[in-house]
Amino acid sequence: MLVAGIGLATFVLLLSFIGPLLWPVDPFALGPHSVLSRPSLAHPAGTDDLGRDSLARLISGGATTLTVAIPSAIIAFLAACFYGFAAALGPAWLDRLLMRLLDAILALPSLVVLIFFAALTRLDAAHLAALLGLVSAPSLARLIRNEALAQRERDFILAARQLGASPFYIARVHLLRVMAPILVVNATFLVGDTILALSALSFLGLGVQPPHTSWGGLLESGLTVAPLGAWWLIVPPGGMIFLAMLAASLTGRGLLARAGDRL
Amino acid sequence: MPPWARTALSRIATAALSLWILVTLTFFLAHLTPGGPAYAILGMRATPVGVNQVNMRLGLDVPLWMQYLTYLGHLCTLRLGYSFLLNQPVAHLIVMYAANTLLFTSLSIVVGTLAALAIGMVQGASWNRWPGRLIGAWQLATYATPSFFIAGMLVLVFASTLGWLPAGGITDAHMTEPGPLSYARHLVLPVATVSLIVAASLSRYFGQSVAEELERDYVRTARAKGLGLRDILRGEVARNALRPFITLLGLYLPALFAGSVVVETIFDFPGLGWLLWHAALQQDYPTLIGVVLLIGALTIVGNLAAELANAALDPRLRSRTLA
Amino acid sequence: MSPPLLRIDNLCVRTRDGGLLVDDVQLDLARGEMLSLVGESGSGKSLTAAAILRLLPRGLVATGRIAFEGADLLALDEASMRAMRGGRIGMVFQNPLSALNPTRTIGRQIADPARLHVGADARQAREMALQMLAEVGIPDPKARIDDYPHQFSGGMRQRVAIAMALVCHPKLLIADEPTTALDPIVAAQILELIGGLRRRHDMAVLFISHNLAVVRAHTDCVQVMYGGRTAERARADVFFAHPRHPYGRALLDAAPDLATVVAAPPGYALPALPGQPPDPLARPPGCAFAPRCPAVAPDCEVAVPPLRRLERSEVACLHPVATPAGPRVPAPEAPMSASTHSSRPSLLEVRDLVVRYDRSRTILDGLSFDLAAGECLGIVGESGSGKSTLGRAVLQMVAYQGRIALQGHDFATLRGRAFRDQRRRIQVVFQDPKESLNPRLSVLHSVAEAARLAQGLPRDASLAAARTLLERVRLGAALYDRLPEAISGGQAQRVAIARALAAKPALVVLDEPTSALDVSTQATLLNLLRSIGRAEGLAWLLISHDLAAIAYMADRIAVLRAGRIVELAPPATLVAQPHDPYTAALVAAATG
């Protein structure tokens, strides 16, 4: 599982970032003579309704999607760690406050929050990444807090406290070590979550803005011309999202299985 | 006070607190965005004069805390403002669209959950063997496929190519069919999309829960009493596996609403998600807040219902005396 | 002689890849008799029991012949096997709480076998359940039959589980460590109950236990298992008078016996067995016990000794023990220093200690006692008596009212660094060895981390300090780089002790330090603790439900009941003249 996951991830990453070198076609060049052409040697993935090369657009869409989704997963991970550990290790009142806040935030689907913000202000890539990260953090923050709280009551941590360890020391030396597998696994799952959320947002026309492309955006424009039977505009972007999600999920589960007996 | 009443009361209090935090959060988030609502309404090319006018009209020129109190007051009396996009009071609008969404999502939940329970039971009983693994692969594939891709493919096959079902909307353009039947036909594809996703993700949790229960000591006791696997699954395991599942169902609601936003948009189905999306595209600020609050409230109430149902299923919380 | 009720021949249990967990076991059990299958972890005793009902964990396969009332259980089809389970053979498990379904009433759970096996309808089944509840001694069965398992105490739950196993009046009861999770007094009552039911219903009992002392008074036969094989089997009187296998003998000697311990002279040390029980998948080629055997000879390591008759016993040993088990001969030890408690300076002072939970439930209700430097104070009491909470209060891990002072410094008056420094002088060793260590730190680094933390040593010095500490708990250097998952429970406990010693404590709280360990390794750990305490003048607060172990270790024993000390006296006084009725019951249960 782990091997399959890492293999898929490598494929997706290579296609998106090395792809432009292997297929140096301008994704924005209009082709009035080849509108909606089926896959051929000249256009391995066909062309869209403006005659642009679909493979080049798929590659460029992948680069955009991943350059937003991966940093936002990192932001989400760091935010969740900070929030979760603060709640678990801080005084009881802080924990209660942070968890109530989290309850309320978790009541809103992250996509709804994203739509809310996207409506209030148009987002560029950096803001999008930051926002996506913050919105994806809460459920992991809760998981980290619960896990840290459970670990904190384990005998060896009680014994460390008896030896004079401060909460910060316990977090650094014991909790991080014991929780490392679960943190790594969830960081991997986060990448899948952010790719999906970004794709959905782009699909709704509120994510990555034209002229930039993204998998979600490509899928959306593919579906609007779908009644014309242009399946090659739908299957590849959908397939890429599928592969990226599968890569994140398989890698995460593979890591989980490997760490299983140590958790 | 009996333990169950205390549990119920504390859960309700927590839910109310969450609701209040949500309302407050929404209010401040809306005011903290660059420019505030006035810019949102007028767009980025707003002039200062225009902004002032809008602020005055919206009552935004008074101090923030007074605005907040007014806002709370309006919420309590369900005065949610006026949608300039659709020219109706937001409260009206929401009731109309919420009816569609509630029908659509509850249908999807019912279909999806029933399927999830059946599939999860099979998976849990055969964990790590072939039926279980096959189901696991299906769950993973469904999880990795975005909902809009599933919806798109369904439209492509059943509406565009085969022409069996309408591609979107809720009524037939030509009005050739009687109302309810046409409405039902329009529901088929959206409900199928969401139930498929619900079934895949929830069956995984239930399957895992069943598999975990089957490992417990009391199952060994039941086997030592001479009960067969079927009896054990039905009589002993199902109820215990259901409890964590119900909690999860409550926690799953946000994801469900998020899914329905996308699906409603694709199928042009006039529900809350559709309204949210249009309000967002048109920057219809009062509608946006109204819908966001309603979705949050529905989630919190759903969570509360799940927790109460869960408590009702647990004799340790129901009991009169504690050992 | 009539054919036995249960006869097991050549029973083997294998893993999927051929690993032999139970190796060629024979067993005979006559109608109405009680046989005790005794052994430590990995001995194969529980697998043997599970194989009878064909309830082996998934992936394990049993071969051989298990004849019960003339039928070969291993050859039966699944439907006939289900009729056996709960109908002809009842089974009771170790943990009475987890063995019952938490969300079904006990009445329904007891009625299940009646509905399945004798075709009773709902009303008849309920009637049978009521009758059975009365028979196992549940007061007012009519009022309790619709209660849920959590509404019963541990002992009552085990009675419910027994009622469930016996509702169809089976001819064989398999009891897999049914008393291990219970307090000694309750455990004695459950044994009494099983004995009574056996006589009344002419029912045979296969009793699985890791503890010889528990079964001594009740059993007809003893079968000792080691490393997946039978080491010895005999009638109980024969076995207890003269155990022939060196392992059986060591097991009998290693468990501290209250009368022996109390009567022993000051220098007495428990006869301890070195080493660990073997991993059944990595047994030595010859006798599995050879590596730990005091009488090992070269031929022991060549081939597996067969089970052979020796007078009235059957024993799998080439060099059986010749001398009968007489009164134990105390092994001499270095004479103790002559100081008595009264002459020692006071170390810990506890006054009017009160601990409440949730403001309403009182767990400790006004305790007062003193502890002298170098003294070992034992705390006994049933579960729920507050003994663990007492340890945690002394460790400053829970909020309390009252005064706890170490060397005259009241913890309540200390703040910040002074508090932490003072608190560090009291260390702790917990019950569960696997939980006591960070699973991702190696043995050496685990102890070095403690040394760094407690003494502020730099890295190199802390590693050196850790080596010294590990030598003091007598752990070999071969283990230093292992992770906790790769060492045994007894070894993990020693690492935990080394970590505690790193802080140079004046007092160590030992919270059931041996109860999760195998019997044969308990004595080793107790002896180690005692010698460390003597050598370093350390004081111990030893919390345990095992009165014999406490009597062996402690200078004085405090008996805790419902949050109060009901008696506080030296072991000999306490055992000879218990003042409190509860103490008397404890002593009676421990004497058997």
Side-chain angles (χ1 to χ4, degrees), chain C residues 276-555:
Chain C
Q276 318 292 331
D279 175 356
L281 294 177
R283 275 178 301 223
C287 173
F289 187 59
R292 304 172 74 189
C293 187
V296 65
D299 51 346
C300 294
E301 285 157 358
V302 177
V304 180
L307 196 64
R308 62 193 173 98
R309 182 152 285 282
L310 187 73
E311 293 169 34
R312 292 194 293 151
S313 306
E314 282 178 90
V315 59
C317 180
L318 299 175
H319 310 282
V321 181
T323 48
R328 298 186 189 175
V329 189
E333 205 191 49
M336 232 173 78
S337 60
S339 72
T340 53
H341 331 296
S342 51
S343 66
R344 295 183 201 166
S346 170
L347 178 72
L348 183 78
E349 186 192 334
V350 175
R351 288 288 174 275
D352 306 316
L353 179 63
V354 174
V355 174
R356 289 203 179 85
Y357 177 73
D358 265 0
R359 292 202 199 100
S360 53
R361 258 182 64 215
T362 304
I363 300 189
L364 293 182
D365 193 8
L367 292 185
S368 299
F369 63 87
D370 286 289
L371 182 62
E375 186 188 1
C376 176
L377 177 68
I379 311 280
V380 277
E382 60 195 344
S383 33
S385 64
K387 56 186 195 300
S388 279
T389 307
L390 169 59
R392 276 164 201 246
V394 169
L395 288 160
Q396 312 295 313
M397 282 180 184
V398 292
Y400 61 86
Q401 293 154 30
R403 171 183 159 91
I404 296 181
L406 187 72
Q407 287 165 331
H409 302 288
D410 186 351
F411 277 103
T413 64
L414 298 172
R415 289 284 173 273
R417 195 177 173 80
F419 175 83
R420 278 206 307 279
D421 286 344
Q422 183 74 356
R423 172 180 156 153
R424 189 181 294 143
R425 307 216 51 221
I426 308 179
Q427 286 299 314
V428 60
V429 175
F430 291 107
Q431 170 176 0
D432 186 349
K434 294 284 162 194
E435 279 290 296
S436 299
L437 303 175
N438 184 330
R440 306 184 69 79
L441 279 176
S442 72
V443 166
L444 184 67
H445 281 100
S446 206
V447 180
E449 189 251 334
R452 263 203 301 282
L453 197 51
Q455 303 174 18
L457 294 175
R459 196 186 145 76
D460 288 347
S462 74
L463 287 173
R467 287 204 177 82
T468 320
L469 286 164
L470 284 167
E471 273 163 32
R472 262 159 67 194
V473 295
R474 294 176 207 152
L475 266 189
L479 298 176
Y480 287 3
D481 292 329
R482 298 224 191 137
L483 288 176
E485 64 192 15
I487 62 177
S488 75
Q491 289 162 344
Q493 275 314 50
R494 291 198 225 179
V495 180
I497 295 168
R499 273 175 62 88
L501 292 180
K504 304 200 162 102
L507 169 66
V508 179
V509 176
L510 304 165
D511 193 351
E512 306 263 11
T514 60
S515 60
L517 304 182
D518 279 315
V519 177
S520 73
T521 53
Q522 283 183 14
T524 317
L525 196 76
L526 289 179
N527 285 341
L528 176 74
L529 285 171
R530 214 162 69 153
S531 74
I532 289 176
R534 295 230 174 109
E536 331 227 335
L538 259 179
W540 306 111
L541 193 68
L542 173 61
I543 298 160
S544 176
H545 63 267
D546 182 353
L547 187 58
I550 284 209
Y552 172 62
M553 292 283 294
D555 300 305

Side-chain angles (χ1 to χ4, degrees), chain B residues 125-127 129 216-229 231 235-237 239-240 243 313-323, chain C residues 53-56 58 78 82 85-87 89 91 93-95 98-104 109-110 112-113 116-117 147-148 150-153 164 176:
Chain B
S126 60
W127 198 255
R129 283 176 293 142
R216 295 200 194 278
D217 284 355
Y218 72 81
V219 170
R220 194 178 52 173
T221 310
R223 295 229 295 144
K225 286 196 286 196
L227 288 158
L229 179 65
D231 289 329
E236 309 259 339
V237 163
R239 186 194 180 103
N240 294 346
R243 291 201 313 108
L313 273 179
D314 188 349
R316 279 162 290 195
L317 292 174
R318 255 192 291 139
S319 63
R320 298 147 286 153
T321 50
L322 280 167
Chain C
L53 280 182
R54 298 218 322 241
L55 291 176
L56 286 171
R58 182 165 301 177
E78 190 56 30
R82 280 212 294 273
R85 296 183 190 133
I89 306 176
M91 187 153 183
F93 298 95
Q94 175 171 347
N95 189 332
S98 62
L100 298 174
N101 189 334
T103 58
R104 295 182 71 210
Q109 295 189 57
I110 297 173
D112 280 340
L116 279 169
H117 303 302
D147 282 351
Y148 290 90
H150 71 273
Q151 291 165 299
F152 292 85
S153 68
M164 190 158 59
D176 190 356

Side-chain angles (χ1 to χ4, degrees), chain A residues 2-242:
Chain A
L2 186 57
V3 175
I6 291 177
L8 269 181
T10 318
F11 168 73
V12 171
L13 287 171
L14 282 182
L15 183 76
S16 302
F17 292 111
I18 314 290
L21 304 176
L22 303 175
W23 187 251
V25 172
D26 181 0
F28 305 108
L30 302 180
H33 305 299
S34 54
V35 170
L36 283 180
S37 64
R38 291 176 170 277
S40 62
L41 273 180
H43 301 288
T47 58
D48 68 2
D49 51 338
L50 297 176
R52 295 174 293 197
D53 181 74
S54 290
L55 180 60
R57 291 180 68 73
L58 193 68
I59 291 169
S60 128
T64 319
T65 304
L66 295 177
T67 40
V68 175
I70 293 177
S72 69
I74 295 172
I75 292 170
F77 180 70
L78 294 177
C81 282
F82 183 74
Y83 198 100
F85 279 120
L89 299 172
W93 62 264
L94 183 68
D95 181 40
R96 212 168 299 163
L97 181 77
L98 291 178
M99 283 303 113
R100 282 289 147 274
L101 203 59
L102 209 57
D103 276 340
I105 296 172
L106 278 170
L108 279 183
S110 50
L111 189 65
V112 170
V113 179
L114 283 171
I115 292 176
F116 184 71
F117 274 106
L120 293 177
T121 162
R122 288 278 172 243
L123 300 162
D124 59 21
H127 282 105
L128 196 58
L131 191 59
L132 194 57
L134 290 179
V135 163
S136 311
S139 59
L140 181 59
R142 163 168 304 194
L143 187 139
I144 290 176
R145 175 260 185 185
N146 288 348
E147 182 71 17
L149 270 189
Q151 296 284 351
R152 213 176 64 149
E153 294 307 312
R154 287 179 72 176
D155 288 346
F156 68 88
I157 297 211
L158 293 180
R161 239 183 282 168
Q162 201 67 26
L163 286 163
S166 64
F168 185 67
Y169 177 93
I170 284 175
R172 192 166 54 84
V173 172
H174 288 292
L175 288 180
L176 271 184
R177 227 185 220 110
V178 187
M179 289 172 60
I182 210 164
L183 291 179
V184 171
V185 167
N186 278 288
T188 318
F189 287 145
L190 262 185
V191 178
D193 290 349
T194 52
I195 289 177
L196 189 64
L198 179 65
S199 300
L201 206 59
S202 305
F203 180 83
L204 292 174
L206 293 165
V208 177
Q209 295 300 320
H212 294 293
T213 55
S214 68
W215 289 333
L218 286 175
L219 193 52
E220 194 271 336
S221 54
L223 277 173
T224 49
V225 294
L228 304 172
W231 55 268
W232 60 91
L233 293 180
I234 306 172
V235 177
M240 285 310 287
I241 300 176
F242 176 76

